[in-house]
Structures are given as structure tokens and as C-alpha cells.
Amino acid sequence: MPQSAQSRRHFLQILSAGLAGSALLAACARAGSGSPAANSYLVYVGTYGPQEQDNIWLYRLEPATGALTRVTGARGGASPSFLTVDAQHRTLYAVNEVDNYQGTPNGGVSAFAIDRQSGGLTLLNQQASGGTIPCYISLDRQGRHALVANYGNGTVAALPLGEGGKLQPASSVDQHTGHGPHKNQTNPRGHCILPDPAGKYFFAVDLGNDTVYGYTLAADGKLQRLPTPAHQTKPGAGPRILTFHPSKPWAYLINELDSTMTALAYDAGKGSFREIQTITTLPVGFTEWNACADVHVSPNGRFLYGSNRGHNSLVVYAIDPGSGRLSLVEHVMLPGKTPRSFTLDPTGRIVLVAHQQSDTVVTYFADARTGRLTPTGVSVPMTAPVCLQVYPDFLRG
């Protein structure tokens, strides 16, 4: 396996951790002093856990306390890292982050039927991802295609969804070219592909050549790249993941290699971005190794969060409501290593953080007025969690 694949799959042995009882009681007391508890949510977790064991997990999240209760687990094959669920909550899709799929130079993509009683998963089928080491998957707004970014060789692919949610072979694969000046940019490296809020354009972030590409997707599944890149970062920035503001024409791009965050103005008519601002994700004076990972806007649109691996922190910014510019609120030092993934629940009350190399998921309270985070005391052990996806509690059981 190539070095890049090995580094992405590295994880420590599972640590002995669990719920801190006294802290959980304190969280419950805190929640009980306010309004009634909100509805619970479901959290699917993708991991680098061994394929001979359960390595996709389902938890129930209580947003009043941040508590996580395990519901079920499933075997997702080799490295089922990034996940997504369709709008009807019937099918879960996972990339299998490998560079050899059935003897071909591809990764895999797996489709699972969701049991609406238990949340359990049953494998429907698998397909090649159209490139090596796939690390991101999303669905178009119509739920007709899965879009996959392949880190290993810098391709993006569209896979039609057939009857019952099954994956069809890739209908379109686009190969990126070029490289950047950083040692991790020897070739293109697709890291993200997702639709814009209207579903008109799709944007692929390439860490290896410092480019965000825009695409359209035809009804027949053909990806058509726009003539001009949607955005070009500073050489060596290593853009990783893009996210859109929930109500304003802005987007935010976290750059892995130079530890920066870029605020972008989005032209929804042209499918292009204009840089507003680029700001560091690190505190002044920090000079050790760091690589940024995930990025999310709070549901109320007032704050932006990003994760630092190395510094092992979440950076919190306030978003100016008139310009989209960012100003630092705080750095939150985390209790574990390598926060590859984090997310917020739909209420914006809870932030969940996955520590890939410390084998835990922890939760925080988020202040809706200030954006600041406070630990809930909840810590759940699991092997190498690398993706967190939160959904309404759709289970009937």
C-alpha cells in the first residue's frame, strides 16, 4: 500500500475510555435548568476499524446533555471512512478507503439498506470508486447519483443510484492534473465533492494542485467540468474541504497544508468564488507540525469551526453578518489526538469531535450567542473514528 494510504489508515490501539459519570450528571443538571430537552438525533460513525469487526457505528445523541448511547454496529468492509445517508433515510453509502478494489486500481463504494426499526445495515452492493483511496462521498439533490472524491490519484466520479438505492458503475470519471510545491502535493488529490445549496453546480476540492473545480451533472450522470476553475488557492495551501453558509452567499474552505481558513463569496449564477479573506487556524507562536481537517458553519450562521491535527484543537471564528469575514473567538484544546472529523447537531447546541488516534468521540456544548465551547464530560470509546454524520431520529423501534 502506498505511503499516503498507510498514513491515512494509521491508528492506535483502542484506549480504555468511557462516560465520565459525574460529568454527565453535571451536564444533565445543566440541561434541566433550561427549556425542555430537544428531540434526540442519530449519529452514524465511519471508522478505520478492522473489517473483520463492526466498523460502522450508530449512536443516539441527546442534545440536552451531549450524551451518546450506542444503538448498533455493522461491518462496512475495508476502511469505511466517509459516510452519507439519503434524504429518505433508507440507504447509507460509504467509501472504502483503499487502493485495490477486486484487483483493480480503485477504491470501493458500498451501499447499505437501513433497517428503520433498529438502524442496522445490510449490504446492498459495492462498486469501484473510479480512483484510488476515496475519502469523500455526497449525493446530488435529487438522490440520483453518488459523487466520490478519490484522494490517491486525484479523480472525481459520479455513480448512478439504481433500484432500491443500489450503486451502479461509475457513469463519469474526471481526472485532475498538476501538482503543488508541498511534499504532499506530488500529484492531484481529490478530497471533497459536494453540490452547492441549489444543486446546480458541484465543487471538487483538490488538495494536490490547490484548486477548487466546478462541475455540472447531466441527467445521464455525465460530469462536465466548467472551463475555468472555481477557485485557486495560494500555492501549497492544500485545500481540503469546502462548506457553504446556511443562508448567505458565502463558503468557507479549510486548507490542510498551510493551516489557514479562506472565506469566499459565492456567485451562484456562474459557479465561482471570490476570496474575501484568508486567516490562520493556529494561535500566534505555534510552530510545530499541524494539518487542518474538517470545517462546519453553525446552524444559525454566526460561527465557523475548524479542526487542527497536531495542535489538536478546534478553532472558533465569528462570522461578520454583513461581509462574511472571520474574527477569532477561541482555540479549544481537545482531550484527544487527530480530530479528523467533527460536526454539529441540527440545533447547534452540541459539537461532536472524533479523535482518530485516541479512539474516542467527545461532545461539547456550543453557546449560540458567543460560539464558545464547553465540555459535556461525555467521551465514548471506538476504534479510529474518522467521520460523523448526524440525522433526525428516524427509527421506529
Side-chain angles (χ1 to χ4, degrees):
M1 177 150 313
Q3 184 176 358
S4 59
Q6 290 176 349
S7 64
R8 295 177 64 80
R9 298 189 60 187
H10 173 71
F11 57 85
L12 302 177
Q13 293 297 317
I14 189 166
L15 302 178
S16 175
L19 289 175
S22 59
L24 180 58
L25 289 174
C28 292
R30 173 177 174 170
S33 64
S35 58
N39 293 330
S40 62
Y41 293 95
L42 298 176
V43 184
Y44 278 102
V45 187
T47 78
Y48 285 147
Q51 63 179 313
E52 64 272 12
Q53 301 174 9
D54 288 350
N55 54 10
I56 297 177
W57 296 103
L58 176 62
Y59 282 77
R60 182 170 277 111
L61 168 68
E62 172 52 64
T65 64
L68 290 166
T69 304
R70 182 176 292 184
V71 178
T72 189
R75 296 187 181 186
S79 297
S81 59
F82 204 88
L83 317 172
T84 193
V85 172
D86 73 326
Q88 292 74 37
H89 309 125
R90 296 172 180 166
T91 313
L92 180 143
Y93 298 93
V95 297
N96 295 107
E97 197 172 316
V98 298
D99 60 3
N100 186 315
Y101 173 75
Q102 297 183 355
T104 69
N106 285 282
V109 188
S110 300
F112 299 87
I114 299 174
D115 185 309
R116 297 294 291 272
Q117 294 292 129
S118 67
L121 304 178
T122 301
L123 180 66
L124 293 173
N125 74 328
Q126 296 176 309
Q127 295 288 351
S129 69
T132 58
I133 315 178
C135 63
Y136 197 99
I137 185 168
S138 64
L139 305 179
D140 66 0
R141 299 299 183 193
Q142 294 74 36
R144 297 174 182 170
H145 297 88
L147 290 304
V148 179
N150 292 291
Y151 178 85
N153 65 337
T155 62
V156 293
L159 286 76
L161 304 180
E163 183 178 356
K166 287 185 176 182
L167 292 156
Q168 306 302 306
S171 55
S172 185
V173 177
D174 188 55
Q175 174 69 64
H176 299 167
T177 58
H179 59 88
H182 192 277
K183 64 180 181 179
N184 291 350
Q185 294 180 309
T186 55
N187 58 277
R189 296 198 178 280
H191 216 301
C192 172
I193 184 167
L194 77 166
D196 74 354
K200 180 179 180 181
Y201 295 108
F202 298 81
F203 294 99
V205 179
D206 195 301
L207 184 147
N209 62 19
D210 297 314
T211 305
V212 179
Y213 297 99
Y215 291 88
T216 58
L217 180 66
D220 64 358
K222 175 67 174 178
L223 281 168
Q224 183 64 50
R225 194 194 302 181
L226 300 183
T228 304
H231 178 66
Q232 201 83 43
T233 70
K234 175 184 175 182
R240 180 179 172 97
I241 295 179
L242 179 76
T243 191
F244 285 90
H245 191 278
S247 60
K248 300 290 184 72
W250 305 323
Y252 297 92
L253 180 66
I254 195 163
N255 301 302
E256 176 178 324
L257 300 180
D258 71 355
S259 298
T260 60
M261 187 78 74
T262 299
L264 300 165
Y266 178 49
D267 186 329
K270 296 179 180 179
S272 62
F273 300 97
R274 174 182 57 83
E275 183 174 338
I276 299 171
Q277 174 196 27
T278 295
I279 187 171
T280 182
T281 66
L282 295 170
V284 175
F286 184 83
T287 59
E288 299 175 33
W289 176 87
N290 188 72
C292 292
D294 206 356
V295 58
H296 293 279
V297 182
S298 62
N300 64 12
R302 297 180 59 185
F303 304 101
L304 181 72
Y305 299 86
S307 63
N308 288 304
R309 298 171 296 174
H311 189 247
N312 292 321
S313 66
L314 294 187
V315 59
V316 185
Y317 306 101
I319 300 174
D320 183 89
S323 67
R325 292 179 63 86
L326 304 172
S327 58
L328 178 66
V329 173
E330 66 172 344
H331 289 91
V332 180
M333 299 307 298
L334 298 171
K337 296 180 180 179
T338 318
R340 166 108 179 254
S341 176
F342 73 96
T343 194
L344 291 85
D345 81 315
T347 70
R349 177 179 173 84
I350 298 295
V351 174
L352 305 91
V353 183
H355 297 127
Q356 177 186 344
Q357 288 188 288
S358 295
D359 301 320
T360 57
V361 173
V362 300
T363 62
Y364 287 82
F365 292 113
D367 191 306
R369 297 170 300 168
T370 67
R372 291 180 175 271
L373 304 184
T374 304
T376 66
V378 172
S379 179
V380 176
M382 66 187 79
T383 303
V386 291
C387 179
L388 300 167
Q389 298 285 20
V390 181
Y391 299 97
D393 192 341
F394 53 78
L395 297 186
R396 296 187 295 264

